[in-house]
Amino acid sequence: MAGGRRGRRHFGLSGLLAIVALAAAASGLASARAAPSGEAAFAHVQHLAGVIGPRPAGTASDRQAADYLALQLRQYGYLSGMHAFQFPFFEARRVEVAQQIPVARTLPSAAMVYSAPTGPAGVEGDLVPVGLGRPGDYAGRQVEGAIALIERGEITFFQKVETAASRGALAAVIYDNQPQGITAGTLTQRSRIPAVAISRDEGTRLQEAAKAGRVRLRLLVDTHFETRSSSNVVATKRGTSRPDEIVVVGAHYDSVPGSPGANDNASGVAAVLEAARVVAGTGTPRTVQFVLFSGEELGLFGSAAYASEHRAGVVAMVNLDMVGWGARLMIGNSPGRDETAVNVALRVAEELGIPVTRLRLAASDHASFERVGVPSVLLHRGIDPYYHGPTDVPSVVDPRNLEEAARLVVGLVLHPAFPTAVVDRGLIGMPVPELPVFAKKPLVARVR
């Protein structure tokens, strides 16, 4: 931070006031440490993922979840409301992948979200493995009139499918790079060719068969597109000292079709609700908006709509996504974006005794706010083995992880130095502590 040298000029009244402010903040953080309850947060996970179940945006269960969240916030004393938005709804009605050569068999599969349909007759072609599906991976490989077999990872699903389409492929089959099953990720927009997902085991089996000889597949994909509406759930707590400056704390409550979405992302929602409960009767320096988003799984539609329409006055955004499973909490933002709020969040985590790791990740709702210039922070615990599958159930989530995430959120919204650097609070003369040095600063790639 740039405040270290400036801080040596003089101490004075502003420095004395800063000491008082930081002492009060430290006292407030200490008292808030035990306030959030992991079990209370876990009860929300059980209801969202265990009672309501899968919550794709634009469906009846999506609306049921929104009503539940609004009710919880009202019970905490907030005036909650709905922010409606429209988005391109997608539904996969029928997906079939059949191997015809060298042996006839059916492969378990799922349509990638926003996959183009094949038409009633389906498509048939020889299979051509193209590695990760990057442009350079097609060198020496002829995929025109064929079906591209692509491994998940490194670039987005849409980039993989679009590259295959530009090379003349009839369809794309994407196999997972993790053993959790089938990950039917989102392309974020409609593709030019059909795209389906299969498991890592099936993909490896196909690749080995293709090395040994000819492999021929037939795909039938029936997908439906229409414009639908969904809603973000919003509750506001007015700040005491800087009410015109807004900190958005959010998490997405929708899930992919067929997945109960316990860790992705009832866990983040539960931690946000628990933080909102804890601070309901406590003054926060800045105004806090608790916003629970829908449409994240389809392409960040809810957060994009909210950020574009309500960015005035927003000085920071805190996003919680998949915080219920994993060994260590990670804090970060998108690569190349403003890191001011992240750096302060790292310091607050250190004050609270919460061990964290730095990460860079763009594929969640904080990216919508970064795109409109709002410094943002993501709280995340990595990809779990149940990601986007039917086994993402409440038992996957550890209540202790929810409590830890909620503690950090409470610490952030109560801290006078968040989201701006300490020097921006006029703390002249106060040395800025060095950020903890982590052994690893991983680039966590959540390729959708």
Side-chain angles (χ1 to χ4, degrees), residues 41-414:
F42 186 65
H44 299 304
V45 174
Q46 290 177 308
H47 187 86
L48 290 168
V51 177
I52 298 176
R55 305 171 299 281
T59 65
S61 56
D62 174 58
R63 293 187 289 273
Q64 184 181 356
D67 290 341
Y68 170 80
L69 299 173
L71 175 61
Q72 300 308 305
L73 290 165
R74 286 197 295 272
Q75 289 178 341
Y76 300 155
Y78 295 95
L79 292 175
S80 62
M82 301 288 186
H83 168 248
F85 63 93
Q86 291 188 320
F87 69 98
F89 176 79
F90 170 87
E91 181 181 12
R93 295 177 172 175
R94 184 181 178 187
V95 183
E96 296 176 5
V97 178
Q99 179 179 301
Q100 297 177 310
I101 298 175
V103 294
R105 66 187 186 95
T106 300
L107 282 68
S109 59
M112 302 297 292
V113 177
Y114 296 127
S115 166
T118 59
V123 297
E124 183 177 323
D126 288 349
L127 189 70
V128 178
V130 292
L132 290 166
R134 300 162 299 190
D137 295 327
Y138 285 81
R141 299 176 184 179
Q142 178 57 253
V143 296
E144 186 173 357
I147 296 173
L149 176 66
I150 310 171
E151 182 182 2
R152 178 187 177 192
E154 193 165 318
I155 61 175
T156 67
F157 290 138
F158 183 77
Q159 289 171 321
K160 295 175 185 290
V161 176
E162 183 63 18
T163 301
S166 69
R167 297 301 195 277
L170 296 174
V173 176
I174 301 176
Y175 67 97
D176 213 329
N177 56 5
Q178 299 295 326
Q180 67 258 32
I182 299 173
T183 298
T186 179
L187 303 174
T188 69
Q189 56 185 295
R190 187 169 181 169
S191 61
R192 290 192 282 164
I193 60 174
V196 299
I198 60 174
S199 69
R200 184 179 72 171
D201 290 345
E202 289 290 359
T204 302
R205 184 176 176 182
L206 287 174
Q207 188 166 5
E208 292 301 317
K211 289 180 181 178
R214 185 185 180 200
V215 177
R216 192 166 181 84
L217 298 183
R218 181 179 179 274
L219 274 63
L220 178 62
V221 180
D222 180 11
T223 54
H224 172 70
F225 301 82
E226 65 177 271
T227 299
R228 287 195 181 181
S229 297
S230 187
S231 297
N232 302 315
V233 182
V234 185
T236 301
K237 178 177 180 58
R238 186 168 175 79
T240 55
S241 59
R242 292 188 171 187
D244 294 333
E245 297 180 3
I246 301 168
V247 174
V248 172
V249 177
H252 75 89
Y253 67 87
D254 63 310
S255 73
V256 298
S259 176
N263 190 39
D264 187 17
N265 183 40
S267 66
V269 171
V272 170
L273 286 176
E274 182 60 7
R277 182 188 69 81
V278 169
V279 303
T282 303
T284 57
R286 292 169 169 84
T287 294
V288 181
Q289 289 181 345
F290 297 100
V291 188
L292 303 171
F293 302 106
S294 184
E296 190 269 356
E297 296 291 2
L298 295 174
L300 316 185
F301 289 111
S303 59
Y306 192 86
S308 64
E309 297 172 24
H310 298 277
R311 63 185 175 186
V314 177
V315 296
M317 192 270 177
V318 182
N319 178 33
L320 286 76
D321 199 344
M322 300 177 68
V323 297
W325 181 97
R328 193 179 184 97
L329 187 63
M330 295 182 281
I331 298 179
N333 64 339
S334 301
R337 297 293 186 175
D338 187 329
E339 298 184 355
T340 303
V342 174
N343 290 335
V344 178
L346 289 168
R347 293 185 59 203
V348 172
E350 185 181 29
E351 291 176 22
L352 291 172
I354 298 175
V356 296
T357 301
R358 181 74 166 89
L359 83 157
R360 303 182 194 281
L361 177 62
S364 191
D365 287 314
H366 61 286
S368 297
F369 289 82
E370 290 173 327
R371 282 195 287 268
V372 296
V374 175
S376 300
V377 178
L378 168 66
L379 307 186
H380 182 59
R381 297 188 80 98
I383 303 298
D384 61 71
Y386 319 99
Y387 175 66
H388 281 189
T391 56
D392 186 8
V393 295
S395 60
V396 168
V397 173
D398 187 337
R400 293 172 297 182
N401 292 342
L402 304 181
E403 183 172 312
E404 186 174 71
R407 283 179 56 218
L408 182 51
V409 171
V410 171
L412 289 174
V413 299
L414 292 181

